[in-house]
Amino acid sequence: MEFLKIKNVDKKFLNQYALRDVSMSVPENSIYGLLGPNGAGKTTLIRIINRITAQDKGEVYFKGQKIKMEDVFRIGYLPEERGLYKKMKVGEQALYLAQLKGMPKREATKKLKHWFEKFEIQGWWEKKVEELSKGMQQKLQFVSTVIHEPELLIFDEPFSGFDPINTNLLKNEVRELKKKGSTIIFSTHNMGSVEELCDHITLINKAENILEGPINEVRNRYKSNIYQIEFNGDPDKLDTSLNHNYEILERKTINGNNAIRVKLLHHTSKNELLSLIIPVVEIIAFREEIPSMNDIFIKAVNEYKSAETPVS
Amino acid sequence: MTILGPLLFGAIVIAPAWLANLEDKQVKKIAVIDSSKIFINKLPETEYIKFNYLQNTRVEDIKRNFEQTDYYALLYITHLVANTSNSVVMYSDQQPSLSVKSHISSAIEKELEQQKLRAQGIDDNILQTIKTNINIRTVQWTEGGGEKESSTELAMIVGYFGGFLIYFFIFLFGAQVMRGVIEEKTNRIVEIIVSSVKPFQLMMGKIIGIGLVGLTQFGLWVVLTLIIVTGAKPLIAPQMTTPAAQEVKAPSIMNNENTEQAMPFQETASQQSTEDLSGNIEAEPIFNALEDINFGLIIGVFIFFFLGGYLLYGSLFAAIGSAVDNETDTQQFMLPITIPLILAIIVLVQGISNPQGGIAFWFSIIPLTSPILMMARLPFGVPTWEVMLSMALLALTFIGTTWLSGKIYRTGILMYGKKVNYKELWKWIRYKI
């Protein structure tokens, strides 16, 4: 089921498009990666979902209904540029933010105590925010984002400012939230964490949605039929065994073993390739090269650029 | 600030009176060397100023060991005193107080005047009878055809105080709104909050919240100031009552005209009579004048203009706060807000001296200055339609500025690192959000 659907959304700032005919649908209980270069329009899209700004055209559907102001109570939003009232006490502040999201005070206090323990910041309740380290403040912000157990969570660069240990802690929390049933939109430039966490992605570039789909499908779409073979034996023999259906891209050694990268041409299959080389050399490893999200990101953005160039 | 405010207010009221009190309580002995021999034993003494007339002494004799004597000053009058104005010198090891100086100079002037009149052959009886003292009693005709005792001075005080308070409140708490908005913006907490509430709600919440803080603090100040001033009143009782007594004296002097005329040294006489009066003031006239000022109306109107003015300027301050990244950038936008306020406070002085004048009228109608100027005019009596018009315009304007500020605010709070000018603000107003 579609949890959140964005349909043909336009947003203009005077004569500049911030979003142009953007559509995407976020499946329920998924982690959805919202990717794109700086200034592509991701933050604008997130703000539209959060009802901070309104679109010029198009619709946003929240669980099948047009999104309403009350729906923001069911959304938890961790903005990229985030901060807290520095002079306020940690506990007071977390309570205030929870109450802003419509939580009763008693319940909020109870839940906060629990989260504070989990994140090992329980001793900081009475301290002022300015006394906290940056990492602690980030934890506090994460807690205030999820405290009201929203059905939809939007994290904009959640890991910036975290050390590897806390990043891991947070990643586990994100997975945990998914397990509990939340739908998560996740915007980041860290492609490693996208591969690790996301089920679906959307790539926005220059105000337009240029790539969308389940992450495995997207990666398969960008597969280039390149295989890496690690083997024991004479590389020249291998060369001669391959016909015009295969193109050798690179010869190298991996851990003292010979290796080649081969591209399959003319719809040949990997089984055919294997059947050709098995008699010739001893195969140690055979692996298809699946492009990383990093490569896909760069490739997609560059393709878009070159497609656009002749027009302009 | 909550406690300090009234203490400071109290201090402002009490300190000058207390200081004057301190000085006056000290008996000042002044040595007089009078070469002209005109003034010997003729200078009027008061409770705190005493004269000691020295014969056959030279200025140098006193000067040499002035510090050993208990004299406050040495007054040297040359024999040319009747002809040249620079022939009186006061020596002292400190700067003599203004009150002492003016007491002496007026005494000498009076004495010389009388001498000269006598020299022209006018006898003492005539001299006494030509002394006159006019105090104008002001009576206001009411709509019902009756007469009311009024006090221009009291109206001026109430008007000035009301106008100034509004000015003070707008500046103090308006700037606080601005700082609050800037804080939220630079803290970057604002985006978290506007994901829960609408930017307009956040802005109005800030303005109303600070307004209520302001009102509470202000109420506290008024109460505490009253307590402090009342508590300290016995300490400075004569000084506190003197100005009031002088106002009250208006009718009483009319009644006692003849007896007063008969007294020599008019000024001293009137001072003494004031001091006599301060003991048991005839309270009735001042209460009449107080009753004449419709405090119910003034307080009601005051609260309206107080809040209206604050809301108008508060929303503008909020818009400025949202447009900048830090307080130092506020300067260029502050100017157009500050100018009408400063102008209003300048015109305020004009307004209380000529409340029906053209400038006062227009400034009390134009919404940017009306909260201050209308308060200044109100105690003098303002036609109802003028008050209504001014109120209606103010209400319309603050709705307008709030709407406009809301538009600037919702864009501004999420806009960082941009050099904002008026053109940019205009763009923001036109953004459809």
Side-chain angles (χ1 to χ4, degrees):
Chain A
M1 191 196 128
E2 282 163 349
F3 188 84
L4 183 82
K5 190 176 167 68
I6 288 157
K7 213 176 147 190
N8 309 110
V9 162
D10 268 15
K11 176 74 195 172
K12 256 183 169 177
F13 287 113
L14 289 186
N15 297 317
Q16 182 87 39
Y17 273 106
L19 292 171
R20 185 173 199 165
D21 199 25
V22 170
S23 298
M24 68 182 216
S25 56
V26 181
E28 182 156 17
N29 200 18
S30 65
I31 301 185
Y32 197 99
L34 185 59
L35 316 178
N38 294 322
K42 286 170 296 178
T43 306
T44 306
L45 182 60
I46 289 174
R47 283 178 182 166
I48 286 173
I49 298 170
N50 271 306
R51 317 295 300 146
I52 294 172
T53 39
Q55 65 272 29
D56 298 336
K57 259 193 246 160
E59 291 299 340
V60 177
Y61 295 95
F62 188 84
K63 293 174 102 179
Q65 304 281 318
K66 273 191 192 177
I67 195 161
K68 304 180 294 291
M69 200 61 210
E70 299 86 77
D71 291 328
V72 298
F73 288 155
R74 292 144 86 188
I75 302 177
Y77 174 37
L78 185 67
E80 182 179 6
E81 295 286 1
R82 50 195 178 243
L84 297 160
Y85 291 110
K86 294 202 161 34
K87 304 277 174 202
M88 224 169 152
K89 280 179 186 162
V90 172
E92 243 172 52
Q93 176 131 328
L95 261 180
Y96 170 67
L97 291 174
Q99 284 175 293
L100 263 189
K101 284 289 185 187
M103 269 188 114
K105 191 173 181 181
R106 184 190 295 262
E107 194 191 333
T109 315
K110 213 175 100 195
K111 291 244 168 68
L112 277 174
K113 289 255 156 74
H114 168 76
W115 275 101
F116 272 45
E117 267 168 44
K118 199 169 182 180
F119 276 12
E120 294 167 348
I121 48 176
Q122 65 270 46
W124 296 86
W125 188 277
E126 289 294 324
K127 291 263 164 59
K128 279 189 181 166
V129 170
E130 58 189 351
E131 295 173 64
L132 264 58
S133 69
K134 195 173 177 211
M136 291 256 197
Q137 292 192 24
Q138 298 274 48
K139 279 184 185 175
L140 178 58
Q141 260 151 355
F142 182 82
V143 170
S144 27
T145 309
V146 301
I147 185 72
H148 58 296
E149 293 174 356
E151 295 165 72
L152 177 64
L153 279 156
I154 303 173
F155 296 124
D156 199 347
E157 288 295 351
F159 305 126
S160 68
F162 276 97
D163 62 30
I165 294 168
N166 283 325
T167 304
N168 248 350
L169 181 77
L170 218 65
K171 277 182 185 165
N172 288 335
E173 281 313 321
V174 171
R175 286 194 195 98
E176 194 68 25
L177 287 163
K178 186 195 166 184
K179 218 177 277 172
K180 282 183 186 157
S182 296
T183 306
I184 296 157
I185 294 176
F186 182 42
S187 171
T188 182
H189 291 136
N190 182 341
M191 292 302 144
S193 57
V194 172
E195 282 168 20
E196 222 178 309
L197 292 168
C198 294
D199 311 312
H200 284 68
I201 62 133
T202 272
L203 178 58
I204 292 179
N205 187 39
K206 297 204 174 145
E208 290 185 52
N209 186 350
I210 59 168
L211 186 66
E212 189 191 2
I215 191 160
N216 294 330
E217 200 192 298
V218 169
R219 291 179 76 176
N220 283 330
R221 221 186 291 165
Y222 275 81
K223 268 196 314 203
S224 40
N225 278 330
I226 297 171
Y227 292 84
Q228 181 167 297
I229 308 160
E230 224 179 298
F231 61 94
N232 245 336
D234 187 353
D236 292 332
K237 268 189 187 168
L238 190 80
D239 275 14
T240 48
S241 69
L242 298 176
N243 58 32
H244 67 281
N245 282 336
Y246 309 96
E247 186 194 346
I248 296 170
L249 299 172
E250 195 186 356
R251 290 187 182 82
K252 54 183 178 180
T253 48
I254 296 171
N255 304 328
N257 298 316
N258 290 315
I260 54 165
R261 287 175 68 227
V262 184
K263 186 172 172 127
L264 271 60
L265 308 167
H266 312 124
H267 304 288
T268 43
S269 74
K270 50 188 175 244
N271 281 9
E272 284 171 67
L273 171 63
L274 277 170
S275 65
L276 282 177
I277 58 173
I278 283 170
V280 189
V281 292
E282 183 194 348
I283 296 170
I284 295 166
F286 181 87
R287 185 158 46 86
E288 183 173 12
E289 272 184 11
I290 293 177
S292 65
M293 273 317 297
N294 211 37
D295 297 336
I296 294 173
F297 185 100
I298 293 167
K299 205 172 167 194
V301 169
N302 284 338
E303 273 171 12
Y304 183 85
K305 215 177 273 169
S306 53
E308 198 185 37
T309 323
V311 183
S312 67
Chain B
M1 221 22 210
T2 313
I3 301 299
L4 211 60
L7 282 178
L8 286 174
F9 267 15
I12 288 169
V13 176
I14 294 164
W18 182 65
L19 287 175
N21 205 18
L22 265 190
E23 177 159 315
D24 280 356
K25 286 259 163 71
Q26 203 186 348
V27 176
K28 298 182 187 77
K29 243 170 89 183
I30 296 166
V32 181
I33 300 177
D34 181 8
S35 305
S36 67
K37 312 274 187 239
I38 299 173
F39 302 101
I40 289 172
N41 294 328
K42 285 204 172 137
L43 292 174
E45 294 191 341
T46 68
E47 200 178 340
Y48 303 115
I49 301 174
K50 306 285 180 203
F51 295 103
N52 196 2
Y53 300 91
L54 305 172
Q55 312 277 358
N56 307 322
T57 321
R58 290 182 309 156
V59 174
E60 282 71 29
D61 301 334
I62 304 290
K63 188 185 174 186
R64 212 169 297 132
N65 47 10
F66 185 77
E67 277 168 38
Q68 272 82 57
T69 66
D70 57 348
Y71 291 131
Y72 175 76
L74 167 66
L75 186 69
Y76 175 64
I77 305 168
T78 68
H79 61 281
L80 290 170
V81 65
N83 305 320
T84 57
S85 55
N86 294 326
S87 51
V88 180
V89 188
M90 203 152 121
Y91 298 98
S92 178
D93 55 353
Q94 56 188 310
Q95 186 61 39
S97 85
L98 206 63
S99 59
V100 173
K101 207 177 131 193
S102 64
H103 174 80
I104 293 173
S105 75
S106 76
I108 291 177
E109 272 167 24
K110 281 224 167 83
E111 186 57 39
L112 279 176
E113 251 172 56
Q114 294 205 350
Q115 294 260 346
K116 285 177 184 171
L117 287 169
R118 262 186 226 111
Q120 296 296 319
I122 298 166
D123 82 77
D124 279 7
N125 283 336
I126 298 173
L127 277 181
Q128 297 299 348
T129 48
I130 58 172
K131 285 247 161 62
T132 31
N133 192 345
I134 296 296
N135 273 282
I136 297 175
R137 200 173 130 236
T138 51
V139 176
Q140 229 178 3
W141 281 324
T142 60
E143 280 166 27
E147 287 186 0
K148 277 193 302 185
E149 199 83 19
S150 70
S151 163
T152 309
E153 289 83 355
L154 197 65
M156 279 175 94
I157 290 169
V158 171
Y160 188 82
F161 195 64
F164 191 79
L165 267 185
I166 288 183
Y167 167 83
F168 184 69
F169 190 81
I170 287 174
F171 248 120
L172 191 67
F173 294 103
Q176 203 172 326
V177 169
M178 187 179 79
R179 275 197 301 273
V181 172
I182 294 175
E183 191 203 349
E184 278 172 352
K185 187 179 170 183
T186 52
N187 264 353
R188 315 262 169 161
I189 194 171
V190 71
E191 192 161 356
I192 295 176
I193 294 181
V194 292
S195 71
S196 302
V197 299
K198 286 186 181 143
F200 186 76
Q201 293 173 324
L202 178 60
M203 184 183 91
M204 284 320 286
K206 175 128 263 146
I207 294 173
I208 292 168
I210 289 178
L212 290 177
V213 168
L215 270 183
T216 312
Q217 191 164 46
F218 176 70
L220 226 77
W221 282 12
V222 170
V223 171
L224 285 175
T225 306
L226 278 179
I227 292 172
I228 290 169
V229 172
T230 323
K233 206 171 167 183
L235 215 109
I236 49 164
Q239 280 69 30
M240 290 294 289
T241 43
T242 304
Q246 269 168 351
E247 273 170 47
V248 176
K249 244 165 62 72
S252 69
I253 283 173
M254 297 290 277
N255 300 337
N256 305 336
E257 208 170 336
N258 290 326
T259 50
E260 294 236 351
Q261 271 181 7
M263 291 170 82
F265 296 119
Q266 185 61 39
E267 196 184 357
T268 347
S270 73
Q271 268 176 9
Q272 276 163 354
S273 70
T274 309
E275 275 163 20
D276 293 343
L277 271 168
S278 68
N280 48 348
I281 308 171
E282 293 167 47
E284 214 187 312
I286 198 163
F287 277 122
N288 282 347
L290 276 173
E291 273 168 22
D292 167 51
I293 291 177
N294 186 343
F295 277 100
L297 175 78
I298 286 186
I299 289 170
V301 175
F302 177 78
I303 289 173
F304 182 90
F305 279 102
F306 197 70
L307 292 177
Y310 167 74
L311 285 176
L312 195 165
Y313 279 97
S315 65
L316 291 176
F317 274 112
I320 294 175
S322 73
V324 298
D325 286 347
N326 54 60
E327 224 174 317
T328 46
D329 290 344
T330 58
Q331 218 55 42
Q332 57 162 334
F333 300 117
M334 282 291 279
L335 199 65
I337 294 193
T338 323
I339 285 173
L341 280 174
I342 302 280
L343 216 60
I345 213 75
I346 294 169
V347 178
L348 173 63
V349 180
Q350 166 85 18
I352 54 171
S353 54
N354 185 12
Q356 311 306 340
I359 296 178
F361 170 77
W362 285 110
F363 273 73
S364 68
I365 297 297
I366 296 167
L368 285 170
T369 52
S370 66
I372 296 168
L373 262 295
M374 191 49 91
M375 282 324 295
R377 292 182 60 204
L378 205 62
F380 297 93
V382 178
T384 314
W385 71 267
E386 284 182 21
V387 180
M388 289 302 187
L389 176 67
S390 174
M391 279 178 155
L393 280 177
L394 181 63
L396 282 178
T397 311
F398 85 63
I399 290 168
T401 53
T402 312
W403 175 76
L404 215 63
S405 298
K407 291 195 146 210
I408 294 174
Y409 180 85
R410 66 188 179 183
T411 306
I413 46 169
L414 298 172
M415 197 75 78
Y416 294 99
K418 202 164 190 175
K419 187 85 190 112
V420 180
N421 49 32
Y422 287 102
K423 210 175 138 201
E424 190 70 29
L425 288 187
W426 178 237
K427 268 198 220 166
W428 294 0
I429 291 171
R430 279 160 55 217
Y431 278 161
K432 192 172 147 278
I433 291 200

